Amino acid sequence: MAHDLHALDDDYLAFWREYQLCTLTTLRPNGTPHVVPVGATFDPQTLTARVISSRASRKVQNVLAAGEQGLRVALCQVDRARWSTLEGLAVVRDDPAAVADAVRRYAERYRQPRENPERVVIEITVDRALGRA
């Protein structure tokens, strides 16, 4: 079920604030899907989802391999019959302000992550929301 990004209901938004693990699907350079569990946050005001990660991770490398234009990805979470998928274009940010902002958001939803000098953030400009929450 598709949702209007500019009129997401309270239940849908609340689902994205709960402590839920997600999966991030990226495509490898050979076109095959790479799906991994992640912690993620979603800002409905800016329609931006964020995933923190180490620079050397496969998911980050997949996004970087797509070049400056970014990579189309899907971010999904499921809790029994409730589910949500956010789709959009992902890029990797490594500037300290963007990483610190993503870490702060992650800590609000989950817990304070361990220190990681190789941390970057995958920022997803969300252009499609699906689900039933």
Side-chain angles (χ1 to χ4, degrees):
M1 155 182 224
H3 294 270
D4 179 349
L5 283 170
H6 302 288
L8 296 171
D9 66 39
D10 291 341
D11 289 339
Y12 193 90
L13 295 175
F15 190 40
W16 277 99
R17 289 188 300 271
E18 292 176 16
Y19 188 112
Q20 298 288 344
L21 291 179
C22 304
T23 60
L24 177 66
T25 302
T26 61
L27 295 178
R28 296 179 184 96
N30 70 3
T32 60
H34 177 258
V35 183
V36 292
V38 296
T41 62
F42 175 51
D43 180 347
Q45 277 69 46
T46 63
L47 298 177
T48 304
R50 294 172 177 86
V51 174
I52 58 174
S53 183
S54 291
R55 179 183 310 278
S57 72
R58 178 78 260 164
K59 60 189 167 289
V60 169
Q61 294 307 305
N62 289 343
V63 175
L64 288 172
E68 290 184 17
Q69 73 276 6
L71 179 69
R72 187 137 186 94
V73 301
L75 183 64
C76 183
Q77 63 183 24
V78 177
D79 179 39
R80 298 182 183 209
R82 296 184 309 154
W83 64 276
S84 173
T85 299
L86 301 175
E87 297 178 3
L89 201 59
V91 296
V92 175
R93 305 264 186 239
D94 62 2
D95 62 279
V99 173
D101 180 53
V103 166
R104 179 188 61 77
R105 292 169 188 273
Y106 179 95
E108 287 175 3
R109 185 173 187 193
Y110 299 103
R111 61 173 168 51
Q112 187 65 39
R114 65 176 170 74
E115 288 296 316
N116 179 355
E118 294 300 310
R119 180 169 287 131
V120 296
V121 58
I122 298 173
E123 280 188 359
I124 304 161
T125 301
V126 176
D127 59 21
R128 189 167 190 218
L130 305 166
R132 185 172 50 143

mmCIF file of all heavy atoms in Angstrom, residues 13-50:
data_model
loop_
_atom_site.group_PDB
_atom_site.id
_atom_site.type_symbol
_atom_site.label_atom_id
_atom_site.label_comp_id
_atom_site.label_asym_id
_atom_site.label_seq_id
_atom_site.Cartn_x
_atom_site.Cartn_y
_atom_site.Cartn_z
ATOM 1 N N LEU A 13 4.137 7.135 11.244
ATOM 2 C CA LEU A 13 5.279 7.867 11.787
ATOM 3 C C LEU A 13 5.717 7.295 13.130
ATOM 4 O O LEU A 13 6.919 7.197 13.406
ATOM 5 C CB LEU A 13 4.950 9.348 11.906
ATOM 6 C CG LEU A 13 4.702 10.049 10.570
ATOM 7 C CD1 LEU A 13 4.255 11.487 10.799
ATOM 8 C CD2 LEU A 13 5.925 9.988 9.680
ATOM 9 N N ALA A 14 4.768 6.881 13.964
ATOM 10 C CA ALA A 14 5.112 6.288 15.257
ATOM 11 C C ALA A 14 5.897 4.993 15.062
ATOM 12 O O ALA A 14 6.826 4.701 15.822
ATOM 13 C CB ALA A 14 3.846 6.025 16.071
ATOM 14 N N PHE A 15 5.532 4.226 14.052
ATOM 15 C CA PHE A 15 6.243 2.980 13.756
ATOM 16 C C PHE A 15 7.714 3.255 13.476
ATOM 17 O O PHE A 15 8.596 2.489 13.869
ATOM 18 C CB PHE A 15 5.553 2.288 12.565
ATOM 19 C CG PHE A 15 6.022 0.887 12.285
ATOM 20 C CD1 PHE A 15 6.302 -0.016 13.294
ATOM 21 C CD2 PHE A 15 6.149 0.456 10.979
ATOM 22 C CE1 PHE A 15 6.713 -1.315 13.012
ATOM 23 C CE2 PHE A 15 6.549 -0.834 10.676
ATOM 24 C CZ PHE A 15 6.842 -1.725 11.703
ATOM 25 N N TRP A 16 8.017 4.383 12.827
ATOM 26 C CA TRP A 16 9.405 4.746 12.510
ATOM 27 C C TRP A 16 10.144 5.339 13.705
ATOM 28 O O TRP A 16 11.337 5.614 13.618
ATOM 29 C CB TRP A 16 9.471 5.660 11.295
ATOM 30 C CG TRP A 16 9.427 4.839 10.051
ATOM 31 C CD1 TRP A 16 8.341 4.602 9.259
ATOM 32 C CD2 TRP A 16 10.506 4.086 9.484
ATOM 33 N NE1 TRP A 16 8.683 3.752 8.243
ATOM 34 C CE2 TRP A 16 10.010 3.419 8.353
ATOM 35 C CE3 TRP A 16 11.842 3.900 9.827
ATOM 36 C CZ2 TRP A 16 10.802 2.596 7.559
ATOM 37 C CZ3 TRP A 16 12.637 3.082 9.036
ATOM 38 C CH2 TRP A 16 12.115 2.436 7.916
ATOM 39 N N ARG A 17 9.444 5.533 14.833
ATOM 40 C CA ARG A 17 10.121 5.981 16.057
ATOM 41 C C ARG A 17 10.341 4.840 17.036
ATOM 42 O O ARG A 17 11.133 4.957 17.964
ATOM 43 C CB ARG A 17 9.319 7.102 16.720
ATOM 44 C CG ARG A 17 9.375 8.414 15.956
ATOM 45 C CD ARG A 17 8.733 9.559 16.723
ATOM 46 N NE ARG A 17 7.326 9.335 17.030
ATOM 47 C CZ ARG A 17 6.313 9.668 16.234
ATOM 48 N NH1 ARG A 17 6.538 10.240 15.059
ATOM 49 N NH2 ARG A 17 5.071 9.443 16.603
ATOM 50 N N GLU A 18 9.635 3.725 16.850
ATOM 51 C CA GLU A 18 9.795 2.568 17.728
ATOM 52 C C GLU A 18 11.166 1.928 17.553
ATOM 53 O O GLU A 18 11.795 2.069 16.509
ATOM 54 C CB GLU A 18 8.737 1.502 17.398
ATOM 55 C CG GLU A 18 7.330 1.889 17.719
ATOM 56 C CD GLU A 18 6.339 0.828 17.268
ATOM 57 O OE1 GLU A 18 6.756 -0.319 16.979
ATOM 58 O OE2 GLU A 18 5.149 1.152 17.196
ATOM 59 N N TYR A 19 11.559 1.176 18.563
ATOM 60 C CA TYR A 19 12.801 0.405 18.478
ATOM 61 C C TYR A 19 12.511 -0.803 17.588
ATOM 62 O O TYR A 19 11.976 -1.813 18.042
ATOM 63 C CB TYR A 19 13.239 -0.041 19.869
ATOM 64 C CG TYR A 19 14.611 -0.680 19.902
ATOM 65 C CD1 TYR A 19 15.654 -0.040 20.537
ATOM 66 C CD2 TYR A 19 14.852 -1.918 19.320
ATOM 67 C CE1 TYR A 19 16.917 -0.610 20.593
ATOM 68 C CE2 TYR A 19 16.113 -2.491 19.352
ATOM 69 C CZ TYR A 19 17.133 -1.836 19.991
ATOM 70 O OH TYR A 19 18.370 -2.399 20.036
ATOM 71 N N GLN A 20 12.807 -0.663 16.327
ATOM 72 C CA GLN A 20 12.618 -1.739 15.341
ATOM 73 C C GLN A 20 13.890 -1.848 14.515
ATOM 74 O O GLN A 20 14.444 -0.834 14.089
ATOM 75 C CB GLN A 20 11.453 -1.419 14.387
ATOM 76 C CG GLN A 20 10.110 -1.277 15.031
ATOM 77 C CD GLN A 20 9.541 -2.604 15.493
ATOM 78 O OE1 GLN A 20 9.986 -3.669 15.090
ATOM 79 N NE2 GLN A 20 8.551 -2.526 16.362
ATOM 80 N N LEU A 21 14.334 -3.062 14.281
ATOM 81 C CA LEU A 21 15.439 -3.255 13.349
ATOM 82 C C LEU A 21 14.892 -3.212 11.930
ATOM 83 O O LEU A 21 13.736 -3.549 11.687
ATOM 84 C CB LEU A 21 16.157 -4.571 13.618
ATOM 85 C CG LEU A 21 16.942 -4.598 14.926
ATOM 86 C CD1 LEU A 21 17.607 -5.955 15.111
ATOM 87 C CD2 LEU A 21 17.962 -3.487 14.975
ATOM 88 N N CYS A 22 15.728 -2.801 11.021
ATOM 89 C CA CYS A 22 15.339 -2.633 9.628
ATOM 90 C C CYS A 22 16.240 -3.500 8.745
ATOM 91 O O CYS A 22 17.218 -4.075 9.216
ATOM 92 C CB CYS A 22 15.511 -1.174 9.206
ATOM 93 S SG CYS A 22 14.621 0.007 10.240
ATOM 94 N N THR A 23 15.901 -3.558 7.483
ATOM 95 C CA THR A 23 16.826 -4.091 6.485
ATOM 96 C C THR A 23 17.047 -3.007 5.449
ATOM 97 O O THR A 23 16.142 -2.241 5.125
ATOM 98 C CB THR A 23 16.285 -5.360 5.784
ATOM 99 O OG1 THR A 23 15.061 -5.055 5.131
ATOM 100 C CG2 THR A 23 16.105 -6.499 6.767
ATOM 101 N N LEU A 24 18.272 -2.958 4.964
ATOM 102 C CA LEU A 24 18.618 -2.048 3.886
ATOM 103 C C LEU A 24 19.002 -2.890 2.683
ATOM 104 O O LEU A 24 19.875 -3.762 2.786
ATOM 105 C CB LEU A 24 19.792 -1.145 4.279
ATOM 106 C CG LEU A 24 20.284 -0.201 3.181
ATOM 107 C CD1 LEU A 24 19.219 0.848 2.844
ATOM 108 C CD2 LEU A 24 21.591 0.460 3.597
ATOM 109 N N THR A 25 18.353 -2.630 1.565
ATOM 110 C CA THR A 25 18.675 -3.328 0.328
ATOM 111 C C THR A 25 19.389 -2.370 -0.605
ATOM 112 O O THR A 25 18.859 -1.305 -0.947
ATOM 113 C CB THR A 25 17.401 -3.866 -0.358
ATOM 114 O OG1 THR A 25 16.726 -4.739 0.554
ATOM 115 C CG2 THR A 25 17.744 -4.618 -1.627
ATOM 116 N N THR A 26 20.608 -2.748 -0.977
ATOM 117 C CA THR A 26 21.388 -2.014 -1.973
ATOM 118 C C THR A 26 21.685 -2.988 -3.106
ATOM 119 O O THR A 26 21.474 -4.194 -2.973
ATOM 120 C CB THR A 26 22.712 -1.478 -1.388
ATOM 121 O OG1 THR A 26 23.508 -2.581 -0.937
ATOM 122 C CG2 THR A 26 22.465 -0.517 -0.236
ATOM 123 N N LEU A 27 22.174 -2.460 -4.197
ATOM 124 C CA LEU A 27 22.591 -3.326 -5.300
ATOM 125 C C LEU A 27 24.103 -3.298 -5.418
ATOM 126 O O LEU A 27 24.720 -2.232 -5.399
ATOM 127 C CB LEU A 27 21.961 -2.866 -6.617
ATOM 128 C CG LEU A 27 20.445 -2.984 -6.689
ATOM 129 C CD1 LEU A 27 19.938 -2.444 -8.023
ATOM 130 C CD2 LEU A 27 20.002 -4.424 -6.484
ATOM 131 N N ARG A 28 24.671 -4.484 -5.549
ATOM 132 C CA ARG A 28 26.107 -4.596 -5.794
ATOM 133 C C ARG A 28 26.391 -4.088 -7.210
ATOM 134 O O ARG A 28 25.482 -4.031 -8.047
ATOM 135 C CB ARG A 28 26.550 -6.045 -5.662
ATOM 136 C CG ARG A 28 26.394 -6.630 -4.273
ATOM 137 C CD ARG A 28 26.839 -8.102 -4.247
ATOM 138 N NE ARG A 28 26.618 -8.698 -2.948
ATOM 139 C CZ ARG A 28 25.544 -9.421 -2.623
ATOM 140 N NH1 ARG A 28 24.590 -9.653 -3.501
ATOM 141 N NH2 ARG A 28 25.448 -9.920 -1.409
ATOM 142 N N PRO A 29 27.646 -3.767 -7.510
ATOM 143 C CA PRO A 29 27.975 -3.326 -8.869
ATOM 144 C C PRO A 29 27.567 -4.312 -9.963
ATOM 145 O O PRO A 29 27.277 -3.903 -11.084
ATOM 146 C CB PRO A 29 29.494 -3.141 -8.817
ATOM 147 C CG PRO A 29 29.754 -2.747 -7.395
ATOM 148 C CD PRO A 29 28.783 -3.601 -6.593
ATOM 149 N N ASN A 30 27.461 -5.610 -9.633
ATOM 150 C CA ASN A 30 27.032 -6.594 -10.633
ATOM 151 C C ASN A 30 25.514 -6.703 -10.734
ATOM 152 O O ASN A 30 24.993 -7.526 -11.485
ATOM 153 C CB ASN A 30 27.660 -7.962 -10.358
ATOM 154 C CG ASN A 30 27.104 -8.638 -9.110
ATOM 155 O OD1 ASN A 30 26.189 -8.128 -8.454
ATOM 156 N ND2 ASN A 30 27.675 -9.778 -8.760
ATOM 157 N N GLY A 31 24.793 -5.870 -9.969
ATOM 158 C CA GLY A 31 23.333 -5.832 -10.057
ATOM 159 C C GLY A 31 22.593 -6.741 -9.094
ATOM 160 O O GLY A 31 21.373 -6.696 -9.028
ATOM 161 N N THR A 32 23.310 -7.572 -8.332
ATOM 162 C CA THR A 32 22.624 -8.464 -7.392
ATOM 163 C C THR A 32 22.316 -7.724 -6.097
ATOM 164 O O THR A 32 23.067 -6.837 -5.679
ATOM 165 C CB THR A 32 23.475 -9.720 -7.100
ATOM 166 O OG1 THR A 32 24.717 -9.311 -6.520
ATOM 167 C CG2 THR A 32 23.715 -10.531 -8.362
ATOM 168 N N PRO A 33 21.217 -8.089 -5.437
ATOM 169 C CA PRO A 33 20.839 -7.382 -4.206
ATOM 170 C C PRO A 33 21.701 -7.788 -3.021
ATOM 171 O O PRO A 33 22.121 -8.936 -2.896
ATOM 172 C CB PRO A 33 19.383 -7.780 -3.987
ATOM 173 C CG PRO A 33 19.217 -9.061 -4.712
ATOM 174 C CD PRO A 33 20.192 -9.051 -5.848
ATOM 175 N N HIS A 34 21.946 -6.829 -2.166
ATOM 176 C CA HIS A 34 22.648 -7.028 -0.908
ATOM 177 C C HIS A 34 21.704 -6.525 0.174
ATOM 178 O O HIS A 34 21.357 -5.338 0.205
ATOM 179 C CB HIS A 34 23.954 -6.229 -0.932
ATOM 180 C CG HIS A 34 24.731 -6.299 0.342
ATOM 181 N ND1 HIS A 34 24.726 -5.277 1.267
ATOM 182 C CD2 HIS A 34 25.551 -7.257 0.839
ATOM 183 C CE1 HIS A 34 25.522 -5.606 2.280
ATOM 184 N NE2 HIS A 34 26.026 -6.800 2.042
ATOM 185 N N VAL A 35 21.244 -7.411 1.055
ATOM 186 C CA VAL A 35 20.271 -7.061 2.084
ATOM 187 C C VAL A 35 20.896 -7.323 3.449
ATOM 188 O O VAL A 35 21.366 -8.436 3.706
ATOM 189 C CB VAL A 35 18.973 -7.887 1.938
ATOM 190 C CG1 VAL A 35 17.935 -7.455 2.967
ATOM 191 C CG2 VAL A 35 18.413 -7.785 0.532
ATOM 192 N N VAL A 36 20.904 -6.298 4.300
ATOM 193 C CA VAL A 36 21.508 -6.437 5.625
ATOM 194 C C VAL A 36 20.640 -5.779 6.689
ATOM 195 O O VAL A 36 19.927 -4.816 6.407
ATOM 196 C CB VAL A 36 22.919 -5.813 5.681
ATOM 197 C CG1 VAL A 36 23.897 -6.589 4.832
ATOM 198 C CG2 VAL A 36 22.910 -4.365 5.262
ATOM 199 N N PRO A 37 20.702 -6.304 7.919
ATOM 200 C CA PRO A 37 19.990 -5.649 9.021
ATOM 201 C C PRO A 37 20.714 -4.370 9.419
ATOM 202 O O PRO A 37 21.951 -4.323 9.440
ATOM 203 C CB PRO A 37 20.029 -6.691 10.144
ATOM 204 C CG PRO A 37 21.197 -7.555 9.834
ATOM 205 C CD PRO A 37 21.379 -7.536 8.343
ATOM 206 N N VAL A 38 19.941 -3.341 9.723
ATOM 207 C CA VAL A 38 20.499 -2.046 10.125
ATOM 208 C C VAL A 38 19.575 -1.373 11.129
ATOM 209 O O VAL A 38 18.394 -1.702 11.220
ATOM 210 C CB VAL A 38 20.697 -1.090 8.917
ATOM 211 C CG1 VAL A 38 21.708 -1.631 7.929
ATOM 212 C CG2 VAL A 38 19.366 -0.777 8.238
ATOM 213 N N GLY A 39 20.119 -0.423 11.837
ATOM 214 C CA GLY A 39 19.319 0.537 12.571
ATOM 215 C C GLY A 39 19.151 1.738 11.656
ATOM 216 O O GLY A 39 20.083 2.099 10.930
ATOM 217 N N ALA A 40 17.995 2.352 11.667
ATOM 218 C CA ALA A 40 17.746 3.465 10.749
ATOM 219 C C ALA A 40 16.822 4.477 11.403
ATOM 220 O O ALA A 40 16.055 4.150 12.314
ATOM 221 C CB ALA A 40 17.125 2.951 9.461
ATOM 222 N N THR A 41 16.909 5.698 10.906
ATOM 223 C CA THR A 41 16.001 6.748 11.366
ATOM 224 C C THR A 41 15.349 7.397 10.152
ATOM 225 O O THR A 41 15.881 7.349 9.040
ATOM 226 C CB THR A 41 16.745 7.816 12.191
ATOM 227 O OG1 THR A 41 17.732 8.445 11.377
ATOM 228 C CG2 THR A 41 17.395 7.199 13.425
ATOM 229 N N PHE A 42 14.194 8.001 10.397
ATOM 230 C CA PHE A 42 13.455 8.669 9.331
ATOM 231 C C PHE A 42 12.983 10.017 9.833
ATOM 232 O O PHE A 42 12.346 10.122 10.877
ATOM 233 C CB PHE A 42 12.262 7.821 8.899
ATOM 234 C CG PHE A 42 11.362 8.479 7.890
ATOM 235 C CD1 PHE A 42 11.873 9.036 6.725
ATOM 236 C CD2 PHE A 42 9.996 8.535 8.096
ATOM 237 C CE1 PHE A 42 11.043 9.645 5.784
ATOM 238 C CE2 PHE A 42 9.155 9.138 7.162
ATOM 239 C CZ PHE A 42 9.683 9.686 6.009
ATOM 240 N N ASP A 43 13.297 11.065 9.075
ATOM 241 C CA ASP A 43 12.848 12.423 9.367
ATOM 242 C C ASP A 43 11.762 12.774 8.353
ATOM 243 O O ASP A 43 12.064 13.049 7.192
ATOM 244 C CB ASP A 43 14.018 13.399 9.262
ATOM 245 C CG ASP A 43 13.624 14.838 9.561
ATOM 246 O OD1 ASP A 43 12.411 15.148 9.609
ATOM 247 O OD2 ASP A 43 14.533 15.656 9.741
ATOM 248 N N PRO A 44 10.498 12.756 8.771
ATOM 249 C CA PRO A 44 9.413 13.018 7.816
ATOM 250 C C PRO A 44 9.353 14.469 7.337
ATOM 251 O O PRO A 44 8.793 14.738 6.279
ATOM 252 C CB PRO A 44 8.149 12.642 8.589
ATOM 253 C CG PRO A 44 8.520 12.776 10.023
ATOM 254 C CD PRO A 44 9.989 12.451 10.111
ATOM 255 N N GLN A 45 9.961 15.406 8.088
ATOM 256 C CA GLN A 45 9.950 16.800 7.651
ATOM 257 C C GLN A 45 10.842 17.002 6.422
ATOM 258 O O GLN A 45 10.496 17.752 5.517
ATOM 259 C CB GLN A 45 10.406 17.739 8.777
ATOM 260 C CG GLN A 45 9.299 18.102 9.752
ATOM 261 C CD GLN A 45 8.863 16.922 10.613
ATOM 262 O OE1 GLN A 45 9.692 16.195 11.151
ATOM 263 N NE2 GLN A 45 7.570 16.724 10.732
ATOM 264 N N THR A 46 11.980 16.332 6.410
ATOM 265 C CA THR A 46 12.904 16.480 5.282
ATOM 266 C C THR A 46 12.861 15.294 4.334
ATOM 267 O O THR A 46 13.563 15.292 3.321
ATOM 268 C CB THR A 46 14.356 16.647 5.781
ATOM 269 O OG1 THR A 46 14.745 15.456 6.481
ATOM 270 C CG2 THR A 46 14.490 17.863 6.683
ATOM 271 N N LEU A 47 12.051 14.283 4.677
ATOM 272 C CA LEU A 47 11.950 13.038 3.906
ATOM 273 C C LEU A 47 13.336 12.403 3.720
ATOM 274 O O LEU A 47 13.707 11.976 2.632
ATOM 275 C CB LEU A 47 11.266 13.277 2.559
ATOM 276 C CG LEU A 47 9.829 13.789 2.654
ATOM 277 C CD1 LEU A 47 9.270 14.062 1.265
ATOM 278 C CD2 LEU A 47 8.945 12.802 3.413
ATOM 279 N N THR A 48 14.073 12.347 4.832
ATOM 280 C CA THR A 48 15.413 11.778 4.823
ATOM 281 C C THR A 48 15.493 10.624 5.812
ATOM 282 O O THR A 48 15.153 10.782 6.990
ATOM 283 C CB THR A 48 16.465 12.839 5.207
ATOM 284 O OG1 THR A 48 16.338 13.954 4.323
ATOM 285 C CG2 THR A 48 17.871 12.281 5.118
ATOM 286 N N ALA A 49 15.959 9.484 5.328
ATOM 287 C CA ALA A 49 16.263 8.343 6.194
ATOM 288 C C ALA A 49 17.777 8.255 6.307
ATOM 289 O O ALA A 49 18.503 8.626 5.371
ATOM 290 C CB ALA A 49 15.678 7.065 5.624
ATOM 291 N N ARG A 50 18.237 7.763 7.443
ATOM 292 C CA ARG A 50 19.678 7.693 7.688
ATOM 293 C C ARG A 50 20.060 6.347 8.284
ATOM 294 O O ARG A 50 19.355 5.829 9.149
ATOM 295 C CB ARG A 50 20.109 8.805 8.647
ATOM 296 C CG ARG A 50 19.953 10.194 8.078
ATOM 297 C CD ARG A 50 20.205 11.256 9.146
ATOM 298 N NE ARG A 50 20.125 12.599 8.589
ATOM 299 C CZ ARG A 50 18.998 13.280 8.450
ATOM 300 N NH1 ARG A 50 17.850 12.744 8.812
ATOM 301 N NH2 ARG A 50 19.008 14.492 7.932
#
